[in-house]
Every structure is written in structure tokens, then in C-alpha cells.
Amino acid sequence: MCIAGSMVIVIHAPLEQEITSVKEIWHMATQPSFLLYVASVIVLVSVLVFHFSPLWGQSNVLIYTAICSLMGSLSVMSVKALGTSLKLTFEGTNQLAYPETWFFMLVVAICVLTQMNYLNKALDTFNTAVVSPIYYVMFTSLTILASIIMFKDWSGQSLGSITSEICGLIVVLSGTILLHVTKDYERIPQSRSM
């Protein structure tokens, strides 16, 4: 179900818009809606790291995976910005002269280091079979949300494509939930009939 849902999302994903400068990406990243998303992520991650992680990080898999996923959504947006800057630089339009390129590089470094730190904590504390699907769903969902907000991915898309993407995401979520429900069911000892 996870693979089928992911394929539906990819098939109906919007076409990538042509970007000619890091300034264009900076403009997208500094829109009020995306800045609100970034501020929300920073507040949530801070609360999770400083309040919930010390209390329940060792017993609740959602704490570490939420930190990874939230930071991951920002790292994907920053990596896309940095990658576009480098691509344009290699094509002959130097983007390294802009401070925005270096800012995106700093954001990538901070996000990836935080993300890897808490992903390693999650994998050290919990079974990989539990961490991986939860992380996949949270990371994918939050990255899609961040992309919709920053790049306005759904503007210009048909209602059918948007609906298909949402259905694909629901199929992915259902597959992950189903995986955990069946694993939990297998662990329940069955009573013997005598």
C-alpha cells in the first residue's frame, strides 16, 4: 500500500517550475505563509527537544521521529534551494555571490545534523521496523506540506490531480497503520482451545 500510494503521489505531482536565480527561491522562502510554517516547525521542534524528549523520548517513538520529520521538511526545502543555486552556478550563472545561497547552506547543515542526531536516537532506542514506517509517513507528509506552502505546488493543478495526491497520501498512511496493526496483532498471544 505504501508503494502504491507513493506511486500515485509521484504520478500526479505538479511539474517543477523553472527557477532562474536564488533570489526567486529566497522570495518563495520569505513569503508570510512559509515563514509561518518555519516558525511553527521551530517552535514544535524546540518544545519536543527541550520538554518532551527528556520526559518521554525513550518510551515514545513519535517524539524522536517528529523531530526528524519536522526538521527534514525544512532540510528538503533548503536542499532544493541549494541544489538549484549550484545547478545555476555550474550552468554559468554564479549564485555563490548571493548571501542567500550561503544561508540555505547553513540551514541545510543545521537541519541535517539535527535530523540525523534524532534519527539515530530513535533507531538506537526503538526497533527499525517501528521507526522506519512512522518516519517515512511523517517525513513525506510534512515535506509535501512544506512544498505546497513554499512552492505553491497546487496552484494551477486540476482538482483531480490534487484529489489523487491526497488519496495517494491516505493510501500511504493506511498502509503504515495497517502494517503496525498486523504486527501488534501477531504479538498478542493466542489462547489455546482445550
Side-chain angles (χ1 to χ4, degrees):
M1 286 180 76
C2 290
I3 293 170
S6 296
M7 286 175 48
V8 169
I9 292 170
V10 169
I11 289 170
H12 294 282
L15 295 174
E16 193 167 317
Q17 55 192 355
E18 188 67 31
I19 296 173
T20 59
S21 167
V22 72
K23 295 282 190 184
E24 285 181 48
I25 302 172
W26 183 258
H27 175 70
M28 291 181 224
T30 55
Q31 298 172 82
S33 56
F34 190 69
L35 290 176
L36 181 62
Y37 177 78
V38 171
S40 301
V41 166
I42 291 170
V43 167
L44 281 169
V45 167
S46 298
V47 168
L48 287 168
V49 167
F50 296 114
H51 179 70
F52 289 104
S53 180
L55 297 173
W56 297 295
Q58 296 292 316
S59 60
N60 189 334
V61 68
L62 293 176
I63 306 295
Y64 293 150
T65 53
I67 295 167
C68 295
S69 301
L70 287 162
M71 292 304 284
S73 71
L74 295 182
S75 70
V76 168
M77 297 303 106
S78 299
V79 164
K80 183 166 182 167
L82 183 60
T84 302
S85 297
L86 293 174
K87 180 185 129 214
L88 291 169
T89 299
F90 293 138
E91 289 174 351
T93 311
N94 186 8
Q95 302 296 303
L96 298 176
Y98 297 110
E100 291 87 349
T101 301
W102 297 99
F103 178 79
F104 285 128
M105 193 176 300
L106 177 66
V107 172
V108 167
I110 291 168
C111 289
V112 168
L113 288 173
T114 305
Q115 189 179 355
M116 291 298 101
N117 178 44
Y118 283 94
L119 182 59
N120 283 331
K121 285 184 179 190
L123 292 171
D124 286 344
T125 308
F126 304 99
N127 188 331
T128 304
V130 173
V131 173
S132 295
I134 293 171
Y135 177 60
Y136 172 75
V137 168
M138 290 176 76
F139 176 77
T140 302
S141 302
L142 290 167
T143 300
I144 289 171
L145 177 63
S147 183
I148 288 168
I149 295 169
M150 182 171 166
F151 296 106
K152 306 284 187 244
D153 281 345
W154 283 356
S155 63
Q157 267 196 300
S158 69
L159 182 61
S161 288
I162 293 170
T163 304
S164 295
E165 286 180 58
I166 292 170
C167 288
L169 185 60
I170 290 169
V171 169
V172 170
L173 292 170
S174 300
T176 305
I177 291 168
L178 186 62
L179 176 69
H180 282 288
V181 168
T182 43
K183 284 190 181 283
D184 290 342
Y185 180 75
E186 289 172 359
R187 280 190 239 141
I188 299 172
Q190 303 295 321
S191 60
R192 292 185 173 181
S193 21
M194 299 213 172

